[in-house]
């Protein structure tokens, strides 16, 4: 087996709640190779954030990693002590978050915050880390970098703050950058700029990127591979082009179908996915998606399908497609 | 920037202060009647004597004139040549008038007692803050642990026990009890021993019990406040960002969380400043502490209206100063506050 940069194996993360244990991440496996961009999509609550937080060792009590491995360059991060994790976080694995408005500390200057990973991991002193912050600001396209390092977060616009967050993540030259919905809180033009920046960063620094997003258009434009999550599990995974062309899980299929497309007949109605996301404390039997699935067969109600190869490069957890059904064709009949 | 902001705040506070003087003067005017207690009861005074005394004191004038005299407005006008004849100074010149009991300036009474109150209250605030913040931090970090439950109970006790009761209890244990058992004991009252006392150690020994009592009540409130404020801060996104940078949990707490958590506490403490003078009164009385609180009680009981008035005004100034101090500190700690 070839060694991946990051390999997650059967990761399980649980939250004890009053209604029972919630398996927010329920046996997730995937890998990430150097320099590639992996997209993670899925409905709200499907476990995307908890998956990446688990990788970073950032799941807060009462949540806990109940099983699995997170191999980074061959070392299992799940077994790492807090001290060992602190060594890796912010240095090898960097993370940027959804809301740049609240993700920066309001009482410290942005340059101080951006330079902090360098002071923590590279032992730089303050003046040098500040100079580095200025040059990093320049690289991420921050206007007037010398002045901006002296600004407090509230003095920066949303786009500038997200640039600052990206600069902060990149100062130490991490090999993995995790971006959890980095553009959701920004307006459309700024979104495009930030995505462009992430693309540039990925190419220039050869940083492997995990990009979580709700926007399938973003996935199409940014990610070589995509992974679709549903109720804490990976339901489909493969090269973006293949998955978009031949969705092999009904959930992916319906996500793509709910997307407005220019090449489709304008009169053809958009279809939203019917039904509600499942309650994690009371999951449906068999395949968790079966109550909402138009392709359901009897087996789906009884047995959860394994994530298995459906097409050469594509894996999906679906009895129907594993039996050889092409959803695009069958979909035309199901309606 | 900051001084401009402070100056602006002071200017805004001036009308408030003026309002306080009107109310204070008005209340005393209404309640104290003649202002000179027992004058009518003195058989040696003829009505015309009383009238003369009142005229000397300016009490025959209408309210507004009396009030303006008391403020010292005529004196100001006199300085710029708009008022004929010599006039007395007033409040605006820092003259709070003279005590009705002993005739000495009210200000001198206040200044004589002020250091004792400041000594006691500032020490109590200091102890309160120094103990409350770690208590709150521990409670927040170990939420639900036995330590947290213990600290919570301690706070409830602290809030519920009346000051005077705790004071008496402590005196009973550490002064009387310890003395009877032949153990080293703490003084039960006063600011210094009259015999062979007055050195630093002796004065500190006198401070221990009153400071403890005062600090305990505030500590209870402030530690709860710190705890909830810490919990709030800890759940913020920037704390997650800090953790994602790979720093020790200690640094996460003390550099990235605490600073944000204490900002609202500063306001709370600033607002408590004046009540420490008033709330300190009970403690001062139980421990015979020669501070402002005890002065206020003595003078109120003795119908010394001018002194009571002076003390009321002084407290009002403290309230405003406390607010101002809190606002300025808040602005220093929180860069989001613009000095406008
Ligand atoms: N602190 C918590 N306590 C209990 N359950 C939690 C907690 N945090 C997350 N969960 C559960 O984990 C599930 C996955 O959450 P997660 O944040 O990973 O979703 P997500 O896919 O990132 O959604 P979104 O698109 O809204 O960000 C949620 O459905 C929720 O039930
Ligand atoms: Mg999320």
């Amino acid at each position: 087996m070839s060694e991946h940069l990051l390999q997650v194996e059967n990761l399980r993360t649980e939250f004890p709640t009053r209604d029972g244990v919630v398996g927010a991440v329920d046996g997730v496996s995937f890998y990430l190779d150097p320099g590639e961009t992996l997209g993670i999509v899925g409905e709200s609550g499907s476990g995307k954030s908890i998956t990446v937080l688990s990788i970073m060792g950032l799941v807060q009590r009462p949540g806990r990693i109940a099983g699995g491995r997170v191999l980074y360059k061959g070392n299992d991060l799940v077994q790492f002590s807090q001290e060992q994790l602190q060594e890796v976080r912010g240095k090898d694995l960097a993370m940027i978050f959804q809301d740049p408005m609240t993700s920066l500390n309001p009482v410290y200057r942005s340059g101080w915050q951006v330079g902090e990973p360098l002071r923590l991991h590279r032992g730089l002193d303050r003046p040098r880390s500040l100079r580095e912050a200025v040059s990093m600001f320049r690289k991420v396209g921050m206007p007037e970098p010398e002045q901006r390092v002296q600004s407090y977060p509230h003095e920066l616009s949303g786009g500038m703050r997200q640039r600052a967050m990206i600069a902060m993540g990149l100062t130490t030259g991490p090999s993995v950058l995790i971006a959890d919905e980095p553009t959701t809180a920004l307006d459309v033009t700024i979104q495009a700029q930030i995505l462009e920046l992430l693309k540039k960063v990925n190419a220039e620094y050869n940083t492997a990127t995990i990009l979580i997003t709700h926007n399938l258009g973003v996935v199409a434009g940014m990610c070589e591979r995509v992974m679709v999550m549903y109720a804490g599990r990976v339901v489909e995974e493969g090269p973006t082009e293949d998955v978009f062309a031949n969705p092999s899980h009904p959930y992916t299929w319906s996500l793509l179908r709910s997307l407005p497309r220019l090449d489709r007949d304008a009169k053809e109605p958009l279809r939203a996915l019917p039904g509600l996301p499942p309650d994690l404390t009371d999951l449906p039997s068999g395949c968790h998606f079966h109550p909402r699935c138009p392709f359901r067969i009897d087996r789906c109600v009884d047995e959860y399908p394994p994530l298995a190869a459906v097409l050469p490069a594509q894996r999906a957890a679906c009895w129907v497609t594993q039996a050889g059904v092409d959803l695009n064709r069958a979909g035309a009949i199901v309606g | 920037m900051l001084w401009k902001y402070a100056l602006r705040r002071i200017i805004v506070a001036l009308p408030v202060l003026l309002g306080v003087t009107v109310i204070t003067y008005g209340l005393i005017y209404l309640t104290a009647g003649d202002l000179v207690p027992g004058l009518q009861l003195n058989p040696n005074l003829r009505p015309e004597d009383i009238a003369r005394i009142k005229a000397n004191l300016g009490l025959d004038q209408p309210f507004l004139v009396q009030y303006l005299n008391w403020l010292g407005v005529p004196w100001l006008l006199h300085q710029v040549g708009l008022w004929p004849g010599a006039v007395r100074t007033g409040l605006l010149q820092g003259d709070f008038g003279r005590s009705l009991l002993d005739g000495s300036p009210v200000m001198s009474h206040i200044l004589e007692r002020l250091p004792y109150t400041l000594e006691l209250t500032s020490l109590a605030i200091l102890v309160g803050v120094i103990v409350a913040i770690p208590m709150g931090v521990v409670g927040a970090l170990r939420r639900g642990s036995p330590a947290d439950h213990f600290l919570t109970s301690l706070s409830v006790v602290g809030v519920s026990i009346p000051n005077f009761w705790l004071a008496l209890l402590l005196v009973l244990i550490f002064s009387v009890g310890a003395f009877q058992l032949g153990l080293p004991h703490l003084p039960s009252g006063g600011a210094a021993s009259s015999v062979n006392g007055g050195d630093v150690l002796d004065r500190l020994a006198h401070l221990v019990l009153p400071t403890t009592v005062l600090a305990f009540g505030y500590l209870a409130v402030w530690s709860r406040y710190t705890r909830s404020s810490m919990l709030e801060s800890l759940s913020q996104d920037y704390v997650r960002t800090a953790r994602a940078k790979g720093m020790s949990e200690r640094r996460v707490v003390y550099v990235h969380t605490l600073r944000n958590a204490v900002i609202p506490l500063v306001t709370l403490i600033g607002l408590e400043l004046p009540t420490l003078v008033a709330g300190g009164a009970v403690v001062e009385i139980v421990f015979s502490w020669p501070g402002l609180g005890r002065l206020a009680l003595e003078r109120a009981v003795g119908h010394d209206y001018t002194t009571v008035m002076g003390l009321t005004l002084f407290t009002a100034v403290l309230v405003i100063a406390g607010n101002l101090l809190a606002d300025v500190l808040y602005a220093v700690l929180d860069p989001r506050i613009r000095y406008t």
Side-chain angles (χ1 to χ4, degrees):
Chain A
M1 192 179 76
S2 67
E3 183 129 305
H4 298 293
L5 177 62
L6 184 72
Q7 180 154 9
V8 177
E9 289 173 1
N10 203 20
L11 183 66
R12 288 190 299 118
T13 304
E14 298 176 346
F15 289 90
T17 67
R18 244 178 288 148
D19 308 320
V21 173
V22 168
V25 179
D26 192 11
V28 164
S29 303
F30 66 93
Y31 64 89
L32 188 70
D33 283 330
E36 76 169 334
T37 299
L38 170 71
I40 304 182
V41 294
E43 269 175 316
S44 205
S46 56
K48 307 180 296 291
S49 299
I50 303 295
T51 300
V52 291
L53 288 174
S54 302
I55 293 170
M56 298 282 289
L58 286 175
V59 175
Q60 293 300 301
R61 280 180 308 166
R64 61 179 204 100
I65 297 181
R69 302 204 291 171
V70 175
L71 297 172
Y72 172 72
K73 293 187 174 165
N75 300 310
D76 185 4
L77 299 184
V78 172
Q79 301 303 327
F80 269 29
S81 67
Q82 273 306 314
E83 285 71 30
Q84 288 173 302
L85 276 173
Q86 281 158 23
E87 278 296 302
V88 179
R89 282 203 290 256
K91 181 160 147 254
D92 300 301
L93 309 178
M95 185 156 177
I96 56 180
F97 299 95
Q98 174 171 351
D99 194 349
M101 300 296 161
T102 54
S103 293
L104 288 164
N105 196 323
V107 299
Y108 296 108
R109 294 177 197 277
S110 64
W112 184 92
Q113 298 188 55
V114 170
E116 198 179 18
L118 288 171
R119 297 197 296 280
L120 291 166
H121 297 292
R122 301 253 186 273
L124 261 58
D125 58 12
R126 262 207 211 192
R128 280 200 56 200
S129 73
L130 196 67
R131 278 201 296 280
E132 283 297 315
V134 172
S135 80
M136 211 60 225
F137 267 11
R138 199 166 284 125
K139 283 179 192 145
V140 299
M142 181 79 89
E144 302 176 327
E146 283 89 357
Q147 283 84 53
R148 289 287 86 88
V149 289
Q150 300 297 342
S151 302
Y152 287 99
H154 72 274
E155 295 164 338
L156 304 176
S157 71
M160 290 202 261
R161 284 186 230 189
Q162 200 59 298
R163 281 178 203 274
M165 285 295 289
I166 293 171
M168 191 157 78
L170 292 175
T171 45
T172 51
S175 41
V176 177
L177 180 68
I178 299 174
D180 188 352
E181 303 188 36
T183 58
T184 311
L186 304 173
D187 70 54
V188 186
T189 42
I190 309 293
Q191 281 186 15
Q193 292 173 12
I194 295 294
L195 290 171
E196 209 44 56
L197 173 62
L198 284 175
K199 221 172 181 173
K200 187 184 115 183
V201 160
N202 176 254
E204 251 171 56
Y205 297 78
N206 203 34
T207 314
T209 308
I210 298 179
L211 181 66
I212 297 179
T213 176
H214 283 259
N215 189 333
L216 290 172
V218 170
V219 173
M222 302 271 306
C223 308
E224 283 110 47
R225 282 192 306 124
V226 62
M227 170 172 126
V228 183
M229 288 189 70
Y230 189 81
R233 299 194 183 187
V234 179
V235 293
E236 177 159 7
E237 179 263 331
T240 308
E241 274 184 45
D242 300 359
V243 171
F244 275 50
N246 280 306
S248 298
H249 192 282
Y251 177 59
T252 320
W253 177 81
S254 44
L255 277 185
L256 287 167
R257 206 167 62 133
S258 64
L259 203 66
R261 284 178 58 160
L262 292 175
D263 58 356
R264 234 185 341 219
D265 187 352
K267 287 187 205 94
E268 192 180 322
L270 293 173
R271 321 256 177 136
L273 182 58
L276 294 169
D279 175 359
L280 293 184
T281 57
D282 186 21
L283 284 170
S285 63
C287 173
H288 301 327
F289 188 62
H290 86 254
R292 302 166 81 182
C293 182
F295 306 100
R296 176 179 61 225
I297 55 175
D298 287 350
R299 195 176 187 188
C300 303
V301 184
D302 304 326
E303 255 182 288
Y304 194 94
L307 187 65
V310 171
L311 294 164
Q314 217 170 321
R315 297 184 303 155
C318 176
W319 295 123
V320 177
T321 54
Q322 283 170 16
V325 175
D326 180 336
L327 295 184
N328 282 336
R329 283 200 214 148
I333 304 160
V334 173
Chain B
M1 285 291 269
L2 193 60
W3 67 267
K4 257 189 181 167
Y5 172 72
L7 193 71
R8 201 210 244 35
R9 290 298 318 269
I10 291 175
I11 292 169
V12 170
L14 288 179
V16 178
L17 263 181
L18 201 68
V20 171
T21 61
V22 175
I23 292 170
T24 314
Y25 199 85
L27 277 178
I28 297 290
Y29 181 85
L30 289 174
T31 53
D34 273 345
L35 269 178
V36 190
L39 221 51
Q40 281 87 344
L41 302 177
N42 190 335
N44 298 327
L45 287 179
R46 292 162 300 164
E48 50 265 45
D49 294 327
I50 292 175
R52 203 185 59 242
I53 291 172
K54 283 194 177 176
N56 276 344
L57 290 170
L59 293 177
D60 53 346
Q61 309 278 344
F63 172 77
L64 191 65
V65 177
Q66 285 191 39
Y67 169 71
L68 289 177
N69 271 331
W70 176 69
L71 269 189
V73 173
W75 188 88
L76 276 184
L77 295 176
H78 180 70
Q79 297 310 301
V80 292
L82 291 174
W83 193 277
V87 278
R88 276 177 295 217
T89 52
L91 201 61
L92 293 175
Q93 294 81 46
D95 183 354
F96 279 42
R98 284 168 183 278
S99 160
L100 289 183
L101 276 190
D102 53 26
S104 53
V106 169
M107 202 56 180
S108 72
H109 282 297
I110 292 179
L111 290 180
E112 183 196 331
R113 302 293 194 95
L114 182 64
Y116 290 98
T117 291
L118 283 184
E119 182 178 83
L120 178 58
T121 54
S122 49
L123 196 65
I125 291 180
L126 201 70
V127 171
V129 170
I130 288 177
V131 181
I133 290 181
M135 265 175 75
V137 170
V138 168
L141 294 183
R142 309 243 168 97
R143 181 157 58 147
S145 71
D148 184 27
H149 288 309
F150 172 73
L151 292 175
T152 304
S153 318
L154 200 67
S155 301
V156 173
V157 170
V159 179
S160 324
I161 291 186
N163 268 346
F164 73 88
W165 190 83
L166 181 63
L168 292 176
L169 186 74
L170 291 184
V171 167
L172 205 60
I173 297 171
F174 293 103
S175 305
V176 183
F179 176 73
Q180 284 174 346
L181 293 174
L183 298 169
H185 58 280
L186 288 165
S188 65
S193 305
S194 43
V195 187
N196 298 330
D199 58 5
V200 177
L201 267 182
D202 176 62
R203 297 192 52 182
L204 278 178
H206 280 81
L207 270 168
V208 173
L209 290 184
T211 306
T212 308
V213 174
L214 257 188
F216 196 60
Y218 288 101
L219 195 148
V221 179
W222 294 344
S223 68
R224 294 308 289 168
Y225 201 83
T226 308
R227 180 181 179 276
S228 59
S229 183
M230 271 303 281
L231 282 176
E232 154 106 28
S233 274
L234 278 170
S235 69
Q236 298 293 315
D237 288 348
Y238 54 76
V239 173
R240 191 180 52 186
T241 305
R243 291 203 175 102
K245 287 187 198 178
M247 63 187 74
S248 64
E249 193 58 21
R250 198 199 191 87
R251 186 175 165 89
V252 170
V253 169
Y254 290 103
V255 177
H256 285 269
T257 313
L258 190 58
R259 168 94 182 261
N260 286 283
V262 296
I263 290 172
L265 190 70
V266 168
T267 316
L268 197 71
I269 295 173
L271 295 178
E272 293 289 4
L273 285 180
T275 66
L276 269 175
V277 176
V282 172
V283 174
E284 287 188 3
I285 289 155
V286 175
F287 288 103
S288 316
W289 190 260
L292 286 177
R294 208 165 68 120
L295 178 69
L297 182 84
E298 289 166 6
R299 297 302 161 132
V301 170
H303 297 269
D304 186 350
Y305 299 114
T306 45
T307 307
V308 171
M309 221 152 60
L311 280 167
T312 310
L313 273 175
F314 197 78
T315 312
V317 173
L318 279 181
V319 174
I320 289 163
N323 272 318
L324 184 70
L325 195 69
D327 281 351
V328 170
L329 259 177
Y330 203 119
V332 169
L333 283 173
D334 190 341
R336 282 164 298 184
I337 305 295
R338 308 236 318 280
Y339 311 132
T340 48

